[in-house]
Amino acid sequence: MFERASRRTSSPSRSGLLAAALLAALAGTTAAPALAQETIKIGAPLALTGGLADEGHKQDLVWKMWVEKVNAAGGLKVGDKTMKVELIEYDYQSEGQRASQLAEKLINDDKVQFLFAPFGSGHTKIVGGVGERYQVPTIACVASSESVFDQSLKHLFGTLSPNGGMTTAMVKMFKEKFPETKTIAVLGRDDVFPKSMAEGIAKAAEAQGLTVAYKELYPVGTMDHAAALSSIKAAKPDWIYVTGYTQDLILARKQMQDLGVTAPIVTMVTGPSYKEYTEGLGKLANGITSSSWWHHATNYTGQGVWPATADFYKDFQAKTNGADPDYVHGSCAAAGEVIADALARTGSLDKAKLRDAIASTDIQTFYGPIKFGPTGMNLPRELPIIQVQDETIKVLAPADIKNADLIAMPK
């Protein structure tokens, strides 16, 4: 048996539903269809423990924020009804096989109408495969690898833009700011998203005339980067680019310091996007550059429970005692609006109609535009390039939210 990690519901109690069913039966009517649609059920296999717990708790936080806002306003419009939302979550402990099992449980036992996918491209593809098998619309808010979204998964949709948009613009900008940049060293985690970013930056760098002086992947679970970093040091690159998840990148940065590995430009994707990274490194985070999919300095407006970026930012700070949201928070909170929009346009809980409605999504939200392309990914847009300066995240691009210029790594 699986233990339920968390369940939030605004629907009537189970005993109340049973009593209603009994009364309806005594009255000679069929209660089951009406009761089955008392709430809109969204299922979420979440990494609340294990290696991806930091990221999983971010999803948990904003999904609950969204559900609370929706239900406080009466619910979501579905035809002539306004229905409350029930979020059902299970902890898959950062294990892919368990994520698959729990996604099936949510569909078969809990009868959810939608799935929210977990953090990361690899686990998203696993849960997306389950959603596809049962034809349940699945919204991914933290997966950007193009390889996850292919024509075989017709029910998987992602609110992040393709990660390909995070490489070409960065190479161009850094070459303009530091024209002496000629070589790059790339170290990436051998996992779906980090691997695709490592390959993407190498390809983009070569296309713009840089020489890739070093390029290697490290296995998932690596606890020592010393050998790879020593090789990078020997290559003397102008730019060091490391991909992985938060703890990987914190370890790599500390070992770079210990081994005296440096370069005028050091990028870690997506480390500085997360407060855990900068808090974990302190001054060692200074100078590190990265890419992101969203920043709270944007000024988007649109439909949903947060009419503008500033509204979401205000609520988030109130909920977290003044913390700043990152792209995981923004993208995952906006994922709920995709569901709300599809329900409003179809006026139905029919899975096929909802899948088609989601595929034709074209909305503006506090997170920005959401319009799915042929593979189910949000269309490309100009994405933020950031840098840690004085232990604070600064935005280098795009121009409309820029608040700092690129500086060289401190020596």
Side-chain angles (χ1 to χ4, degrees):
M1 292 290 291
F2 293 109
E3 294 295 325
R4 176 166 295 171
S6 173
R7 178 168 180 153
R8 177 176 296 278
T9 176
S10 298
S11 61
S13 68
R14 186 175 298 276
S15 60
L17 291 175
L18 290 173
L22 179 59
L23 288 173
L26 291 173
T29 61
T30 302
L35 292 175
Q37 297 185 9
E38 283 294 325
T39 59
I40 298 160
K41 293 184 178 182
I42 304 173
L46 271 176
L48 297 175
T49 57
L52 297 175
D54 287 344
E55 291 83 358
H57 281 286
K58 292 180 181 184
Q59 294 177 286
D60 173 61
L61 170 66
V62 294
W63 285 337
K64 287 178 177 175
M65 284 177 59
W66 179 75
V67 170
E68 288 170 3
K69 292 280 284 188
V70 164
N71 288 342
L76 296 179
K77 190 71 175 175
V78 185
D80 59 358
K81 289 185 176 182
T82 301
M83 302 174 66
K84 295 293 182 74
V85 176
E86 180 181 359
L87 177 65
I88 305 173
E89 300 173 332
Y90 293 114
D91 179 14
Y92 76 93
Q93 302 171 352
S94 302
E95 297 177 3
Q97 183 177 357
R98 185 175 172 85
S100 176
Q101 293 167 340
L102 290 173
E104 290 209 26
K105 178 175 174 59
L106 285 161
I107 294 168
N108 292 323
D109 295 349
D110 295 297
K111 308 299 181 185
V112 300
Q113 288 111 359
F114 303 91
L115 285 173
F116 280 147
F119 178 87
S121 293
H123 291 170
T124 287
K125 191 157 192 175
I126 289 171
V127 171
V130 176
E132 187 69 23
R133 190 156 65 250
Y134 291 96
Q135 299 185 341
V136 172
T138 304
I139 313 299
C141 57
V142 208
S144 64
S145 299
E146 287 91 335
S147 62
V148 174
F149 298 85
D150 55 41
Q151 293 297 329
S152 66
L153 296 177
K154 302 287 188 180
H155 292 75
L156 178 65
F157 301 90
T159 49
L160 291 184
S161 294
N163 57 28
M166 302 178 76
T167 54
T168 301
M170 178 177 275
V171 175
K172 181 180 178 182
M173 174 190 222
F174 290 180
K175 281 189 65 182
E176 289 175 352
K177 295 293 184 180
F178 292 140
E180 65 276 15
T181 301
K182 305 297 182 185
T183 61
I184 183 171
V186 181
L187 178 62
R189 172 174 164 135
D190 193 3
D191 204 349
V192 179
F193 167 72
K195 180 179 179 180
S196 68
M197 291 302 298
E199 293 173 345
I201 196 67
K203 183 177 180 180
E206 288 178 328
Q208 296 187 54
L210 298 186
T211 298
V212 178
Y214 177 93
K215 180 176 176 288
E216 293 291 339
L217 298 174
Y218 60 89
V220 175
T222 295
M223 298 302 295
D224 186 358
H225 299 289
L229 292 173
S230 294
S231 296
I232 290 174
K233 183 178 182 179
K236 298 181 180 179
D238 301 314
W239 181 4
I240 298 172
Y241 188 101
V242 186
T243 74
Y245 294 123
T246 304
Q247 296 308 315
D248 301 323
L249 300 178
I250 288 175
L251 173 63
R253 179 65 188 102
K254 288 179 176 179
Q255 289 193 303
M256 287 176 66
Q257 178 71 11
D258 293 341
L259 295 169
V261 182
T262 189
I265 306 172
V266 177
T267 300
M268 291 191 164
V269 174
T270 55
S273 294
Y274 305 138
K275 68 173 184 177
E276 305 92 87
Y277 177 88
T278 51
E279 289 176 351
L281 287 173
K283 291 182 179 180
L284 281 182
N286 286 335
I288 304 295
T289 53
S290 192
S291 302
S292 188
W293 286 268
W294 176 84
H295 191 274
H296 59 78
T298 53
N299 188 29
Y300 291 119
T301 59
Q303 66 190 63
V305 295
W306 294 290
T309 308
D311 298 312
F312 175 74
Y313 184 70
K314 179 180 178 181
D315 277 4
F316 187 89
Q317 287 214 309
K319 196 76 171 179
T320 60
N321 296 318
D324 284 343
D326 60 36
Y327 78 88
V328 175
H329 298 114
S331 179
C332 291
E337 299 304 341
V338 173
I339 292 174
D341 177 67
L343 288 167
R345 285 188 289 117
T346 60
S348 168
L349 292 178
D350 179 83
K351 290 189 295 184
K353 291 180 180 179
L354 287 168
R355 182 267 161 210
D356 291 346
I358 293 173
S360 64
T361 296
D362 186 359
I363 59 176
Q364 297 290 329
T365 72
F366 79 91
Y367 164 74
I370 301 177
K371 182 176 183 178
F372 299 120
T375 65
M377 295 194 78
N378 200 2
L379 293 181
R381 64 181 189 233
E382 192 173 9
L383 301 175
I385 299 173
I386 60 178
Q387 183 175 38
V388 184
Q389 298 180 10
D390 297 323
E391 300 181 47
T392 301
I393 298 298
K394 297 295 184 180
V395 182
L396 309 179
D400 59 342
I401 59 171
K402 173 183 173 181
N403 59 15
D405 290 315
L406 174 68
I407 60 173
M409 278 289 293
K411 295 182 179 179

